[in-house]
Structures are given as structure tokens and as C-alpha cells.
């Protein structure tokens, strides 16, 4: 494939001019798109020593055109980095945000790394919270609860890419319909599947029988078995919390990302309230519920939490920009 005559430096300057209307970091985004087109890390793109083929240049300008139409950069590149891990994203899933990292950072600082943690993640999306917890806590087991089909597809791909699928169960269900026995049953299933895999590795010739026994036990578990695994120690959530009438939302957000993951009734507080009530019901005594909220909702959040009788206390955390964004709630020993 013949190379074009345009220098990469000139290509980037032209792309920068095109993107100024939609991005405050037009040059950097142009470079990221170029590196993605060339299938090279950005730091390995040497503008004065490399050339681009005609096909690659056409692909590059197609991506620039998409970005100029306010298509999120993450959808164009089909990736988003979160706490050092690369997550696959695709239109129209909710794109992980850096402020959510504050939630994970609190858990890592305040919960012992080797804790046999059982957790549930409400509205898991493509998995940034659930998979980050599994990655940091090697003895953890999680249930990721998500409804959106495309999000589930990306979540499965990300769990496989990060090799964390064995400790995660993806449950396609509305959070409002989750019952305590659902989570107990799924934690038990994760454990049995893990034991089954261990048996297969130890006794390859008996793997089929081991699998059959595990399936039979799973189907015929007694009531005692179902509740032999405790309820979650931790529940996390990044609920929809935007007010549909908020006119300050960026076009690339409301035009492309799924409204199911963004908007909530009661001026953005509907899901925050209903998911809190569900989390407190599902948590074990003295369990922890951590959730995200909008930068301008602190007053409403603190008023709501102050009225709750099933929690001992709570903390409000600020993100890296200094905005209050995360609530950590401690359930009473009921």
C-alpha cells in the first residue's frame, strides 16, 4: 500500500484544527486517534520518521470526522483506561469515568487485601468497579448486576481479557428485583464451579463426573445450602443520577450514551434512593454500601442519609478534582 505525501506532523496539525470545536485537547485526541490507526502506542509514533499509507489516512480522517460529530473518543477507539486496566467499550454503553476510581481507592485503602470479600455491583456497566475489585482482592467473589445487553457483552469480554471471569457471575436483572437468596445462590454457584475446576485440573479423567456432580448438587441444593454462604460484605453502585432536565450535560453524553445509565427521576435522585434501600436490605449486618452521585447533589444526599435509621454512619468522599462524589455507608448490626 503506497504512502501518502503528507507528513504526520502536518496531518496532526490539520486534525487539531478540525477538532477544536468539540475538544479542549484537540491535538492530544488527534494523536490518540493516529496512534490507534497505526496500531502503535502514542509514545511510539515518531512524527518526523514515519509515514502513513493511503488506507490508514482514510481511516484516520473517518475517525476524525466521527469525533467532530461529537462521537465520544472512547467509542471511536473502543477502549477506556480505568485504574490502569484497559476496558473494551462500544456504543452506546456507559463510559467509565475517573471520578469512579475514588470508590475503588477507598475500598483498597480500608479493606484488607486478603479479605474473602463477597460483593455485588449494581448497574455494573462494562465492569470497571466489579473487575477492579476482583483484581485487587484476590479472594473476592462478585455478582455484577446489569440489564443493558451491549453492556453485558462488553462486561463479559472485559472479564475474559482480565482473566477474572472465574470469580464473577453476571446477572441480567433489574436491581429492584434482586432478593437476598439470589445472591446467596450465586455465591454458592461460584464456589461450586471453582471446586469443580480444581477437581478437573487434579483429576482430568474424572472431570466429566465432577462436572455432573456439581451440576446435580447445584440443582438439588437444600435450603440450608442456599444460605450457607453469607450475604455480601460490600455492595457498590454507580446509579443513574442525572436530571433529564439538566441542560448542562455535554452533547456527546446525551446524544450517544445509553439514557438508561444516565438519567433518573426525582431530579436525578430516584435510583440513588431505591438502590440504597435495596442495598441495605441485601447487605449482611455491618456491611458497606458505596455509591456515586453527581457533583452538585451533596446537600440532597446528606439530607437523605441523615434520615436513614438502618445505617450507623456514612462518609462523603471527594474526587481528584475536589468535588464530593462518593458516599460510603455502614449498615447497622441488625
Amino acid at each position: 500500500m503506497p504512502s501518502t505525501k503528507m507528513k504526520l506532523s502536518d496531518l496532526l496539525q490539520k486534525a487539531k484544527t478540525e477538532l477544536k470545536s468539540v475538544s479542549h485537547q484537540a491535538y492530544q485526541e488527534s494523536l490518540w486517534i493516529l496512534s490507534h490507526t497505526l496500531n502503535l502506542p502514542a509514545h511510539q509514533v515518531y512524527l518526523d520518521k514515519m509515514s502513513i499509507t493511503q488506507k490508514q489516512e482514510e481511516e484516520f480522517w473517518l475517525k476524525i470526522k466521527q469525533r467532530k460529530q461529537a462521537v465520544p473518543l472512547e467509542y471511536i477507539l473502543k477502549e477506556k483506561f480505568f485504574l490502569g486496566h484497559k476496558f473494551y467499550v462500544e456504543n452506546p454503553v456507559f463510559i467509565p469515568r475517573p471520578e469512579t476510581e475514588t470508590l475503588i481507592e477507598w475500598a483498597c485503602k480500608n479493606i484488607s487485601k486478603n479479605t474473602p470479600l463477597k460483593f455485588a455491583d449494581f448497574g455494573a456497566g462494562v465492569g470497571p468497579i466489579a473487575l477492579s475489585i476482583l483484581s485487587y482482592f484476590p479472594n473476592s467473589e462478585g455478582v455484577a448486576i446489569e440489564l443493558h445487553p451491549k453492556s453485558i457483552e462488553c462486561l463479559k469480554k472485559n472479564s475474559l481479557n482480565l482473566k477474572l471471569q472465574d470469580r464473577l457471575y453476571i446477572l441480567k436483572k433489574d436491581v429492584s428485583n434482586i432478593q437476598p437468596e439470589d445472591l446467596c445462590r450465586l455465591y454458592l454457584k461460584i464456589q461450586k464451579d471453582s471446586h469443580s475446576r480444581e477437581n478437573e485440573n487434579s483429576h482430568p479423567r474424572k472431570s466429566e463426573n465432577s462436572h455432573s456432580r456439581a451440576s446435580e448438587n447445584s440443582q438439588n441444593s437444600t435450603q440450608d445450602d442456599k444460605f450457607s454462604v453469607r450475604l455480601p460484605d460490600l455492595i457498590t453502585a454507580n446509579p443513574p443520577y442525572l436530571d433529564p432536565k439538566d441542560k448542562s450535560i455535554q452533547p456527546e453524553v446525551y446524544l450517544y450514551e445509553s439514557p438508561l445509565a444516565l438519567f433518573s427521576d426525582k431530579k436525578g435522585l430516584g435510583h440513588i434512593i431505591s438502590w440504597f434501600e435495596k442495598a441495605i436490605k441485601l447487605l449482611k449486618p455491618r456491611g458497606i454500601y458505596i455509591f456515586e452521585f453527581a457533583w452538585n447533589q451533596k446537600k440532597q444526599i446528606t439530607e437523605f442519609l441523615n434520615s436513614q435509621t438502618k445505617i450507623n454512619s456514612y462518609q462523603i468522599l471527594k474526587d481528584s478534582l475536589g468535588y464530593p462524589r462518593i458516599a460510603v455507608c455502614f449498615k447497622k448490626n441488625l
Side-chain angles (χ1 to χ4, degrees), residues 25 57 64 211 222 319:
Q25 48 180 0
E57 184 176 346
I64 293 295
H211 177 74
T222 64
D319 65 15

Side-chain angles (χ1 to χ4, degrees), residues 271-308:
H271 285 79
I272 286 177
I273 294 171
S274 64
W275 286 17
F276 173 90
E277 293 169 347
K278 178 61 69 171
I280 296 303
K281 177 182 177 181
L282 296 176
L283 276 170
K284 74 168 191 175
R286 300 176 67 184
I288 302 171
Y289 177 49
I290 316 180
F291 68 93
E292 184 175 324
F293 56 89
W295 66 274
N296 58 354
Q297 289 177 329
K298 181 183 176 181
K299 182 176 183 295
Q300 298 95 315
I301 296 299
T302 54
E303 288 176 352
F304 171 72
L305 293 178
N306 286 336
S307 71
Q308 300 306 303

Side-chain angles (χ1 to χ4, degrees), residues 3 6 9 15 81 99 103 106-107 136 138 153 233 241 263 265 298 314-315:
S3 300
M6 180 173 284
S9 56
F81 281 88
E99 52 267 26
L103 186 159
W106 184 93
Y136 184 81
E153 181 183 320
D233 311 278
Y241 53 65
F263 302 108
D265 59 356
K298 181 183 176 181
Y314 67 88
Q315 300 175 14

Side-chain angles (χ1 to χ4, degrees), residues 14-293:
K14 185 177 179 181
K16 173 186 173 181
T17 302
E18 292 289 317
L19 295 187
K20 276 186 176 179
S21 60
V22 295
S23 174
H24 63 278
Q25 48 180 0
Y27 182 84
Q28 188 64 52
E29 288 196 9
S30 299
L31 177 58
W32 288 332
I33 292 173
L34 177 61
S35 69
H36 188 264
T37 304
L38 297 175
N39 196 27
L40 286 172
H43 67 275
Q44 291 184 10
V45 177
Y46 302 104
L47 303 183
D48 56 341
K49 297 180 180 179
M50 298 176 64
S51 59
I52 186 171
T53 67
Q54 184 175 344
K55 183 178 179 180
Q56 287 173 328
E57 184 176 346
E58 290 172 357
E59 181 184 341
F60 172 77
W61 286 117
L62 177 61
K63 293 173 181 176
I64 293 295
K65 181 180 179 181
Q66 290 177 314
R67 185 68 187 106
K68 192 175 180 181
Q69 294 171 342
V71 176
L73 180 67
E74 293 83 358
Y75 290 162
I76 296 171
L77 305 183
K78 297 195 183 309
E79 65 183 33
K80 173 67 177 181
F81 281 88
F82 183 92
L83 282 178
H85 294 301
K86 183 167 72 172
F87 287 84
Y88 179 83
V89 296
E90 194 174 336
N91 189 355
V93 303
F94 180 77
I95 300 168
R97 304 299 204 273
E99 52 267 26
T100 309
E101 295 180 350
T102 304
L103 186 159
I104 304 298
E105 289 166 352
W106 184 93
C108 293
K109 290 177 183 176
N110 291 277
I111 302 174
S112 175
K113 183 172 184 177
N114 293 318
T115 300
L117 192 66
K118 288 181 172 53
F119 72 92
D121 184 27
F122 290 176
V126 302
I129 296 176
L131 295 175
S132 294
I133 291 175
L134 289 172
S135 178
Y136 184 81
F137 297 96
N139 298 319
S140 62
E141 298 168 349
V143 176
I145 301 161
E146 178 57 54
L147 263 181
H148 195 281
K150 183 59 71 172
S151 294
I152 291 175
E153 181 183 320
C154 293
L155 174 54
K156 288 179 179 178
K157 181 174 292 190
N158 288 324
S159 68
L160 289 168
N161 288 343
L162 295 173
K163 297 180 172 56
L164 295 168
Q165 72 277 10
D166 290 348
R167 291 187 284 127
L168 182 70
Y169 191 95
I170 301 171
L171 180 61
K172 185 179 181 181
K173 201 167 188 177
D174 192 295
V175 169
S176 63
N177 295 327
I178 302 295
Q179 299 302 321
E181 53 267 29
D182 292 331
L183 297 181
C184 290
R185 175 175 54 82
L186 295 176
Y187 295 136
L188 186 62
K189 177 173 172 50
I190 292 172
Q191 283 191 339
K192 287 184 174 179
D193 288 348
S194 177
H195 292 157
S196 178
R197 282 190 297 272
E198 289 175 3
N199 289 336
E200 288 175 4
N201 291 333
S202 301
H203 308 286
R205 295 179 182 178
K206 298 181 180 180
S207 61
E208 184 175 349
N209 291 334
S210 298
H211 177 74
S212 298
R213 285 196 299 272
S215 299
E216 183 179 351
N217 289 339
S218 178
Q219 293 171 3
N220 298 308
S221 59
T222 64
Q223 191 74 5
D224 288 340
D225 286 337
K226 188 166 64 172
F227 288 95
S228 65
V229 182
R230 56 195 167 101
L231 288 168
D233 311 278
L234 171 70
I235 295 179
T236 57
N238 186 1
Y241 53 65
L242 296 180
D243 183 350
K245 296 181 180 179
D246 187 349
K247 296 182 179 179
S248 67
I249 301 170
Q250 295 175 316
E252 64 186 69
V253 175
Y254 70 76
L255 285 176
Y256 293 98
E257 292 186 73
S258 170
L260 292 175
L262 297 173
F263 302 108
S264 189
D265 59 356
K266 299 179 181 178
K267 297 182 179 180
L269 296 172
H271 285 79
I272 286 177
I273 294 171
S274 64
W275 286 17
F276 173 90
E277 293 169 347
K278 178 61 69 171
I280 296 303
K281 177 182 177 181
L282 296 176
L283 276 170
K284 74 168 191 175
R286 300 176 67 184
I288 302 171
Y289 177 49
I290 316 180
F291 68 93
E292 184 175 324
F293 56 89

